[in-house]
Amino acid sequence: MDTVGTDDFNSIEAHALDPDYLQHYFSKYTKDPDVQKDAASGDWLFGRGMLDMKSGDAVHLGNLLYYAQHREQLKGNLLVMFNPVEENDHEGVMEAVSELIRLRDEKNLHYKLAINGDFVSPLYKGDTQRYIYTGSAGKLLGCYYIRGRETHVGETLSGIDPTLIASKINGALNNNMDGAEQIANEVILPPSCLFQRDKKAFYNVQTAGTTFMYFNYFLYERTPNAVMEQLKQVAADACADLAAFLEQQYSVFSANCGLKGQAPNWAVDVLSYEEFVEELNRKGVPVEKITDQVIQDNPSEDFRQVSCKVIEALEASGGDKRPKVIVFFAPPYCPHNYLRDDVPEEKRCDQILDDVLRHAEQETGEHFAKKRFFPYLADSSYLSMSETSEETEAIVHNFPGWGKTYSVPLDQIRKLNIPVLDMGVYGKKAHTWMERLYKPYSYGVLPKLIRSMTERIFADHPDG
């Protein structure tokens, strides 16, 4: 039920929550013909949160009111849940997992299906299909701590600049579909760089010592182990490329100035956080004690920065200043899930959905497209998960401060395991100042579609 901020509205920020004002404003906005046309039609509602997520709340509230007035149509129980803190670390739904399990056990419930109302959008210009998603993409934040070898700029080729390694990693991963999974007919997105910065605090003529960067990394079918291996391989390739590049540049440099002698060593080690910790343990470094102290000293620091500070403290304690890349994960982590053919109850939900969509197309004239993976991040990820306990070990062991700064209730999510669909309101430009919702579908077709799915699920299981 939370939204992002309103700063992007700039000079009209005072009206960011005023749909009437914004409709009038955009009806005269000639710089974007599409938004002007939508505003003039009267079929669209504007404003921050109109699409993501206030109208999803409204649809669920409307259906709750409908069934309160038509109890005879409801052959089972509805549990309606509104979650805060969805936009960053999903803390609301994670806190709710234990409550859902408590209610299930105390009330002797059997959760048949969860329906998330997160928004859907056209996937390309002119796209008129209405998308229904039978699963949720997962997310890992793949991180790199890069330790170079500082040097004076007067001896620049003798050092190892971590910003060069970071640039090569960024070029290999950022928006590169080679780093994405290959799943036909699904919206599969590549990694995106969300942060890249060296750790220099002020100007001087010394090259940077360390660089920190992290990537949004979507999970569909890929395991966390596979992600870690890919992140490490990209780093290893980047370091090898840099060594070859510096060797070539040093050859030109030394030939030009007549310098003789042995060339520097530009080798850079690449290891996972788990491997780094194993090395420290062999040296007798008190990893847990140091981690706890860093967390205690940084109570209000960003989760991701705390992870980096933990690595810096461990590195200092171990006396390890060799050039290296440490690959690790940081918050948030979203599990991935989808309806599976080999799980009878999930397969039956999928079959019922097909029937419901077929009837809805006949009745409404809308064209529906069913997809497996919701293409954005959603709370649906925390109601069920496809990763096994063995697969999530790669996350836990490569996550600085897991269970101390941040954790996900993995065992409880597996215990809950509710099949989940996304049947959301329809609109355009979420998280932008042109955010808008299409009323005829969102407030007309969608509530009835959700009710049809709800009633079919109960009819298929009359014991509820």
Side-chain angles (χ1 to χ4, degrees):
M1 58 188 180
D2 52 310
T3 68
V4 295
T6 57
D7 292 352
D8 54 328
F9 282 82
N10 297 314
S11 63
I12 60 169
E13 184 178 4
H15 303 284
L17 306 179
D18 187 341
D20 294 333
Y21 175 92
L22 292 171
Q23 182 178 348
H24 178 75
Y25 177 89
F26 283 116
S27 68
K28 301 182 181 301
Y29 190 76
T30 58
K31 295 180 181 180
D32 189 315
D34 187 55
V35 72
Q36 185 181 30
K37 177 183 175 182
D38 287 348
S41 73
D43 285 336
W44 296 78
L45 282 176
F46 294 77
R48 171 60 74 240
M50 184 63 72
L51 178 59
D52 184 19
M53 277 289 301
K54 299 307 180 184
S55 293
D57 295 344
V59 168
H60 281 330
L61 282 170
N63 278 342
L64 182 62
L65 176 61
Y66 176 86
Y67 283 119
Q69 297 171 337
H70 300 84
R71 295 288 294 275
E72 73 283 355
Q73 296 184 25
L74 194 61
K75 306 303 181 183
N77 297 295
L78 285 185
L79 189 153
V80 184
M81 182 170 69
F82 298 94
N83 305 321
V85 203
E86 187 264 359
E87 289 294 353
N88 41 38
D89 292 316
H90 304 272
E91 292 174 8
V93 69
M94 283 196 283
E95 288 289 333
V97 169
S98 60
E99 182 68 7
L100 290 171
I101 293 173
R102 183 190 68 80
L103 284 169
R104 183 189 65 187
D105 294 346
E106 288 187 7
K107 304 293 185 182
N108 194 29
L109 302 175
H110 181 185
Y111 294 130
K112 296 294 185 183
L113 179 68
I115 297 178
N116 186 11
D118 215 331
F119 76 94
V120 299
S121 291
L123 298 181
Y124 53 88
K125 188 173 183 178
D127 183 10
T128 59
Q129 295 184 105
R130 311 301 184 211
Y131 294 96
I132 306 296
Y133 297 94
T134 63
S136 301
K139 167 180 173 167
L140 280 169
L141 200 70
C143 306
Y144 292 98
Y145 175 85
I146 307 170
R147 161 68 65 183
R149 183 170 62 233
E150 302 99 317
T151 186
H152 190 283
V153 293
E155 298 179 318
T156 184
L157 290 174
S158 67
I160 297 175
D161 188 342
T163 67
L164 271 175
I165 298 174
S167 296
K168 289 180 177 295
I169 291 172
N170 204 355
L173 284 178
N174 196 4
N175 288 328
N176 191 338
M177 287 301 295
D178 287 343
E181 295 181 49
Q182 305 298 315
I183 305 174
N185 300 316
E186 292 291 330
V187 180
I188 304 298
L189 292 162
S192 305
C193 186
L194 297 180
F195 187 93
Q196 179 178 341
R197 198 167 300 169
D198 69 59
K199 303 290 286 184
K200 286 185 68 171
F202 51 85
Y203 170 81
N204 59 30
V205 291
Q206 184 183 59
T207 59
T210 58
T211 297
F212 177 40
M213 62 191 312
Y214 51 75
F215 289 85
N216 186 88
Y217 217 100
F218 284 107
L219 290 178
Y220 303 95
E221 296 176 341
R222 185 179 284 163
T223 67
N225 268 322
V227 173
M228 173 56 70
E229 289 306 312
Q230 184 180 37
L231 292 171
K232 286 179 63 179
Q233 187 60 56
V234 167
D237 291 344
C239 292
D241 287 348
L242 179 62
F245 171 78
L246 291 175
E247 183 178 1
Q248 180 183 13
Q249 303 313 309
Y250 191 84
S251 175
V252 175
F253 163 74
S254 58
N256 180 65
C257 62
L259 187 66
K260 298 180 180 180
Q262 187 174 4
N265 179 10
W266 295 291
V268 179
D269 291 338
V270 176
L271 60 163
S272 68
Y273 178 76
E274 181 179 14
E275 292 166 337
F276 176 57
V277 167
E278 288 173 353
E279 288 185 359
L280 295 173
N281 286 332
R282 288 194 292 270
K283 293 179 181 179
V285 175
V287 173
E288 293 300 319
K289 182 179 179 180
I290 293 169
T291 300
D292 290 343
Q293 188 62 54
V294 171
I295 293 169
Q296 182 180 329
D297 292 343
N298 296 274
S300 58
E301 182 66 272
D302 176 84
F303 284 149
R304 289 137 289 272
Q305 295 299 328
V306 171
S307 300
C308 188
K309 288 177 182 292
V310 167
I311 293 176
E312 288 176 326
L314 292 174
E315 187 183 45
S317 182
D320 181 8
K321 291 298 182 76
R322 62 182 159 144
K324 59 184 172 298
V325 178
I326 299 173
V327 187
F328 63 100
F329 298 127
Y333 161 52
C334 302
H336 68 291
N337 58 54
Y338 47 88
L339 297 183
R340 296 163 290 186
D341 285 341
D342 59 346
V343 179
E345 191 165 13
E346 295 180 14
K347 182 176 182 179
R348 186 60 185 144
C349 286
D350 205 15
Q351 292 171 336
I352 291 172
L353 177 62
D354 287 339
D355 194 41
V356 167
L357 295 181
R358 184 167 55 251
H359 281 88
E361 284 190 336
Q362 295 169 357
E363 292 175 2
T364 66
E366 298 279 3
H367 297 287
F368 292 95
K370 187 179 74 172
K371 298 287 186 181
R372 288 174 66 199
F373 298 106
F374 183 65
Y376 316 109
L377 299 172
D379 280 346
S380 300
S381 287
Y382 299 93
L383 299 180
S384 175
M385 63 187 298
S386 300
E387 294 99 326
T388 66
S389 57
E390 291 78 14
E391 289 170 346
T392 52
E393 286 297 302
I395 299 170
V396 174
H397 293 311
N398 286 292
F399 206 114
W402 179 272
K404 299 175 181 180
T405 59
Y406 174 88
S407 63
V408 174
L410 302 174
D411 292 338
Q412 288 185 307
I413 293 171
R414 291 190 186 95
K415 183 178 178 182
L416 184 63
N417 197 37
I418 307 174
V420 56
L421 305 176
D422 188 85
M423 305 174 79
V425 296
Y426 181 86
K428 302 176 183 177
K429 299 289 185 178
H431 289 205
T432 76
W433 72 305
M434 294 182 182
E435 178 175 351
R436 57 196 186 272
L437 172 113
Y438 185 57
K439 293 188 289 184
Y441 176 81
S442 301
Y443 297 155
V445 174
L446 179 64
K448 296 177 182 177
L449 186 69
I450 292 174
R451 294 203 298 268
S452 294
M453 189 69 199
T454 301
E455 291 165 19
R456 279 295 308 275
I457 286 290
F458 287 141
D460 195 61
H461 299 277
D463 59 341

